[in-house]
Amino acid sequence: MWAWGFFRHVFVLAVLSGAVVSGVVAKPNLAECMDPSHFNLEQKKVLVYAYHYGSKENLGYEMAAIAWKESCAGAYRVDFDETSAGIYHAYIPAVLKFYNEGQTPFMKSYYGDLLIRDRNFASRIALDTLVSFKRIHKGNLKEMIRAYYIQRAKHPAMANQEADEYYQDLLIKIKTLQSLMPTLEHFVKEHEHKPKTPLYAQSELPYQPPKQTKKKTA
């Protein structure tokens, strides 16, 4: 029931963001995710936000690169096959474990919905994860990024190879963003007061823990 409610919520958001037109589901165009300079305003806002959020831990470009790679800078925020959500596609079972929550359908739906709606919460999860792996691997960028990927690898037997490929792709994105970020920041600043075109649900509400219902006593 809760899983269906979560799916229905995402489907409605897809309709509102223009992913569904005239009853036909628009297919994602991965080619549109190749060049951030061609992103729309909301995608550029996501990259700039991720960069500034991560900069406090000297991980700004890494955060922005992950947002670009994982969700096309916020355009695709849920993966049912991988059980991940948000602009960085946080692995929901790992998030539940971090918050000592049960792996129940309700909690998966609750945190999945929160990751999709609240970019601040999603960014906090992503940055905390990166900082943890950075500390474990003593500042080694490659091992930090590999660990970030391996925690939710679909095929354990291929995890190391896939993690290396993930790192190489992220490295290219980081270098691209290092040259583009000033331009992206300037563009966002120029257009920040324009009416917002929905990209996906982007709530700025503060995190509220789920309410626990009291069990009735006999």
Side-chain angles (χ1 to χ4, degrees):
M1 179 64 72
W2 289 111
W4 162 243
F6 179 42
F7 177 82
R8 180 174 58 188
H9 176 75
V10 173
F11 181 79
V12 170
L13 293 175
V15 174
L16 293 175
S17 63
V20 179
V21 182
S22 302
V24 179
V25 180
K27 294 182 179 180
N29 184 356
L30 297 182
E32 295 177 354
C33 298
M34 299 300 292
D35 186 355
S37 63
H38 295 156
F39 284 177
N40 62 36
L41 174 59
E42 294 308 317
Q43 286 174 294
K44 290 177 180 178
K45 283 183 178 180
V46 167
L47 291 182
V48 171
Y49 179 87
Y51 167 71
H52 284 284
Y53 195 99
S55 291
K56 65 183 84 172
E57 295 288 347
N58 199 28
L59 291 169
Y61 290 112
E62 288 80 0
M63 287 279 286
I66 290 172
W68 172 9
K69 180 174 179 61
E70 293 290 348
S71 68
C72 190
Y76 307 106
R77 299 194 183 194
V78 64
D79 185 336
F80 289 103
D81 182 50
E82 193 179 74
T83 322
S84 64
I87 57 180
Y88 312 94
H89 276 263
Y91 184 52
I92 296 173
V95 175
L96 294 179
K97 183 178 180 181
F98 179 81
Y99 283 99
N100 295 314
E101 301 284 7
Q103 301 284 339
T104 65
F106 171 75
M107 297 311 299
K108 287 179 181 178
S109 297
Y110 177 86
Y111 278 92
D113 178 67
L114 189 60
L115 285 162
I116 290 170
R117 291 188 298 107
D118 191 340
R119 66 180 184 178
N120 181 70
F121 176 72
S123 298
R124 174 150 48 98
I125 292 293
L127 185 58
D128 285 349
T129 303
L130 287 175
V131 168
S132 176
F133 287 134
K134 183 179 181 181
R135 187 180 302 115
I136 290 171
H137 296 288
K138 300 179 180 179
N140 187 304
L141 175 65
K142 179 177 181 179
E143 293 306 317
M144 178 192 74
I145 292 174
R146 277 171 44 82
Y148 185 86
Y149 175 83
I150 288 174
Q151 66 171 331
R152 50 90 185 275
K154 296 179 184 178
H155 311 291
M158 301 176 61
N160 284 322
Q161 179 183 340
E162 291 175 347
D164 284 337
E165 293 171 356
Y166 187 89
Y167 166 71
Q168 292 298 333
D169 187 37
L170 220 60
L171 203 59
I172 293 171
K173 285 177 167 55
I174 288 171
K175 290 179 179 178
T176 300
L177 288 168
Q178 286 173 338
S179 62
L180 275 180
M181 190 56 67
T183 302
L184 295 175
E185 289 179 307
H186 179 71
F187 182 89
V188 168
K189 187 175 181 180
E190 273 195 335
H191 296 81
E192 61 183 348
H193 299 302
K194 287 192 174 183
K196 181 178 178 180
T197 301
L199 170 69
Y200 217 93
Q202 294 186 24
S203 170
E204 296 304 315
L205 296 175
Y207 165 64
Q208 295 291 337
K211 293 181 180 179
Q212 300 293 337
T213 55
K214 295 182 178 180
K215 294 182 179 179
K216 293 182 179 180
T217 57

